């Protein structure tokens, strides 16, 4: 039963990450059409800064479930959040130091992907 709960939570989190990835691809397309490919790639990179850490968090946070493992569940959420934060910092550092992308498209792509996360309760029905 507890494996089913973890799988259900992980599945819902992966749906959210997939929606964020779709928004990142759409932002890439729009930025590439309206401006140029370099801006599209920067927006996509910004979206990936939101998508990759959220995927890692979902994988770590929903690795355990059940009342008998409550302390392990809590630790997995803490570890997931810590890794997510560190990975976000590392990816932003990589984007701005190695790829030299512009500030605006990176953060617009990042914010668009985050907005999916913020508005998810409006789109995903809990059953």
């Amino acid at each position: 039963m507890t494996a089913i709960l973890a799988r259900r939570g992980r599945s819902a989190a992966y749906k959210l990450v997939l929606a964020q990835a779709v928004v990142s691809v759409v932002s890439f397309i729009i930025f590439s059409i309206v401006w140029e490919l370099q801006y599209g790639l920067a927006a996509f990179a910004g979206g990936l800064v939101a998508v990759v850490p959220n995927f890692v968090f979902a994988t770590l946070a929903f690795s355990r479930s059940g009342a008998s493992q409550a302390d392990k569940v809590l630790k997995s959420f803490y570890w997931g959040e810590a890794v997510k934060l560190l990975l976000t910092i590392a990816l932003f550092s990589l984007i701005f130091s190695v790829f030299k992308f512009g500030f605006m498209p990176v953060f617009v792509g990042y914010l668009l992907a985050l907005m999916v996360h913020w508005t998810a309760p409006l789109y995903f029905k809990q059953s």
Side-chain angles (χ1 to χ4, degrees):
M1 178 66 179
T2 59
I4 293 171
L5 292 175
R7 199 171 338 134
R8 187 178 299 162
R10 194 171 33 251
S11 173
Y14 286 162
K15 285 180 189 176
L16 177 65
V17 170
L18 179 62
Q20 287 179 317
V22 168
V23 167
S24 297
V25 170
V26 169
S27 69
F28 163 73
I29 293 169
I30 291 172
F31 270 79
S32 295
I33 291 172
V34 174
W35 289 283
E36 61 185 47
L37 182 62
Q38 183 72 11
Y39 288 110
L41 291 172
F44 183 68
L48 286 181
V49 172
V51 171
V52 172
N54 279 329
F55 177 78
V56 171
F57 172 78
T59 303
L60 292 174
F62 293 103
S63 61
R64 303 199 185 274
S65 67
S68 63
Q69 298 184 11
D71 58 330
K72 292 179 183 176
V73 171
L74 185 62
K75 284 181 185 177
S76 66
F77 268 84
Y78 282 142
W79 273 109
E81 192 61 34
V83 170
K84 178 180 166 181
L85 180 63
L86 292 173
L87 192 54
T88 301
I89 292 168
L91 289 173
F92 270 129
S93 298
L94 178 74
I95 286 172
F96 289 123
S97 64
V98 174
F99 295 110
K100 309 279 191 228
F101 284 140
F103 178 81
M104 188 271 306
V106 171
F107 278 104
V108 169
Y110 178 71
L111 289 175
L112 287 173
L114 281 185
M115 286 175 65
V116 171
H117 188 77
W118 297 334
T119 60
L122 301 174
Y123 303 113
F124 297 117
K125 186 176 82 170
Q126 293 291 330
S127 56

